[in-house]
């Protein structure tokens, strides 16, 4: 089978190559999965360039999340059957989804609901977990306002949907081209970051929380007295 592999340790992203390797053996507690799709997350690029928590393996397959179809169920891997469509992510210390077949601990996997295409679900796992984990830690109350920067992006769009499920009022900064999709997902107020300055559009203390995956200037602006 083929896999996308970092061929040596270090910071050279260019060492990634498509290579033929053996399909892995399924261990106890694992599923063997035929990969269907995997998003290239920004963190994948960082991980493949070398990350303190990534202990280089040989072969080091790239990719942190994705979807696929169960080919084998290892001993003690409960609740799954051959043919199940599954979504999963891997720990930063144990990456590897850019391959035709992978093995993965069953407890990193969930079944994909029948109304979602397996291929499309490959964009969801890590962005959704990031958004869900961050927003639930805030423990917000229904009706409170959250400002989500980059609301049309991978993490931002998941954060919008989680926030709406929590009953929050969501204001988002993004690009005009994403507005129709964002409206459909329930965005309450849209700020086009290319033509508007969110710190001028919003009133002092207008929002209860800021969800920011972009940092830098946005973070600094969000700390200005006029906004905080
Ligand atoms: N993806 C993950 O699972 C994950 C997990 C943890 C952390 N992160 C981190 O979160 C960050 C974003 O990741 P992502 O996957 O969401 O990236 P992404 O899909 O590229 O989304 C970024 C979004 O931000 C928008 N944007 C850019 N500049 C902006 C600005 N000044 N104001 C408002 N919106 C702006 C972009 O819109 P345009 O494209 O229209 O400019 C795009 O929709 C990265 O730093 C990543 O490392 C990601």
């Amino acid at each position: 089978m083929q896999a996308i592999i970092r061929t040596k340790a270090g910071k050279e992203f260019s060492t990634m190559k498509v290579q033929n390797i053996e399909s892995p053996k399924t261990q106890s507690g694992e599923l063997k999965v035929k990969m269907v799709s995997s998003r290239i997350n920004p963190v994948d690029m960082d991980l493949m360039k070398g990350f303190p928590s990534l202990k280089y393996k040989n072969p080091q397959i790239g990719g942190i999340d994705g979807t696929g179809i169960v080919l084998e169920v290892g001993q003690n891997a409960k609740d799954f059957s051959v043919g199940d469509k599954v979504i999963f992510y891997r720990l930063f210390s144990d990456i590897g989804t850019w391959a035709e077949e992978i093995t993965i601990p069953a407890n990193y996997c969930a079944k994909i609901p029948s109304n979602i295409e397996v291929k499309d679900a490959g964009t969801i796992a890590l962005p959704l977990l990031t958004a869900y984990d961050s927003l639930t830690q805030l423990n917000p109350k229904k009706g409170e306002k959250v400002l989500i920067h980059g609301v049309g992006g991978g993490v931002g769009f998941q954060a919008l949907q989680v926030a709406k499920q929590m009953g929050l009022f969501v204001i988002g900064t993004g690009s005009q081209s994403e507005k129709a999709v964002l409206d459909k997902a329930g965005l309450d107020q849209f700020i086009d970051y290319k033509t508007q300055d969110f710190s001028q559009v919003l009133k002092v203390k207008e929002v209860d929380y800021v969800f920011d995956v972009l940092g830098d200037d946005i973070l600094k602006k969000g700390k200005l007295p006029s906004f905080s």
Side-chain angles (χ1 to χ4, degrees):
M1 66 161 203
Q2 291 194 309
I4 302 175
I5 286 170
R6 189 173 66 150
T7 52
K8 64 174 185 185
K11 295 202 169 178
E12 288 304 312
F13 189 63
S14 59
T15 64
M16 294 197 67
K17 303 259 184 305
V18 175
Q19 288 194 345
N20 286 308
I21 57 168
E22 299 238 327
S23 178
K25 293 211 170 17
T26 312
Q27 308 291 334
S28 175
E30 289 184 338
L31 304 177
K32 182 183 272 198
V33 173
K34 180 177 168 50
M35 285 295 299
V36 172
S37 70
S38 175
R39 182 181 197 252
I40 302 177
N41 291 293
V43 71
D44 285 313
M45 313 301 274
D46 293 334
L47 283 167
M48 291 314 291
K49 280 187 211 155
F51 214 62
S53 59
L54 177 66
K55 211 169 161 205
Y56 179 75
K57 293 180 286 191
N58 190 11
Q60 179 65 67
I61 303 172
I64 198 155
D65 64 2
T67 57
I69 302 190
V70 176
L71 292 175
E72 280 176 20
V73 179
Q75 272 188 339
N76 305 317
K78 296 192 183 88
D79 304 326
F80 292 95
S81 309
V82 171
D84 280 348
K85 295 163 181 168
V86 286
I87 181 166
F88 40 82
Y89 83 107
R90 306 199 73 124
L91 298 180
F92 280 16
S93 55
D94 181 32
I95 64 168
T97 57
W98 296 343
E100 289 178 283
E101 295 175 2
I102 64 162
T103 50
I104 182 159
N107 59 357
Y108 295 180
C109 301
K111 289 181 198 164
I112 299 174
S114 58
N115 62 338
I116 300 177
E117 291 288 333
V118 191
K119 177 169 62 67
D120 298 342
T123 61
I124 297 174
L126 187 65
L128 174 59
L129 288 168
T130 305
Y132 180 83
D133 192 34
S134 310
L135 286 168
T136 49
Q137 281 188 41
L138 293 173
N139 200 17
K141 294 183 212 64
K142 275 190 181 176
E144 285 188 313
K145 288 189 178 181
V146 59
L147 168 64
I148 299 175
H149 288 298
V151 71
V155 179
F157 191 62
Q158 299 301 328
L160 164 61
Q161 294 170 88
V162 174
K164 291 311 297 177
Q165 287 288 321
M166 291 172 152
L168 303 182
F169 185 98
V170 183
I171 304 166
T173 62
S175 291
Q176 190 62 36
S177 59
E178 298 154 347
K179 188 172 180 307
V181 177
L182 295 168
D183 286 344
K184 205 171 158 195
L187 184 67
D188 297 288
Q189 185 179 342
F190 175 71
I191 300 172
D192 179 347
Y193 82 87
K194 289 177 182 158
T195 58
Q196 293 173 291
D197 179 343
F198 74 90
S199 66
Q200 302 299 316
V201 173
L202 297 171
K203 294 190 211 81
V204 175
K205 296 191 191 291
E206 184 169 345
V207 298
D208 299 290
Y209 309 101
V210 179
F211 184 99
D212 177 18
V213 288
L214 301 166
D216 292 337
D217 290 347
I218 288 186
L219 198 62
K220 285 181 208 141
K221 208 177 265 181
K223 283 186 177 159
L224 291 176
S226 61
F227 187 61
S228 59

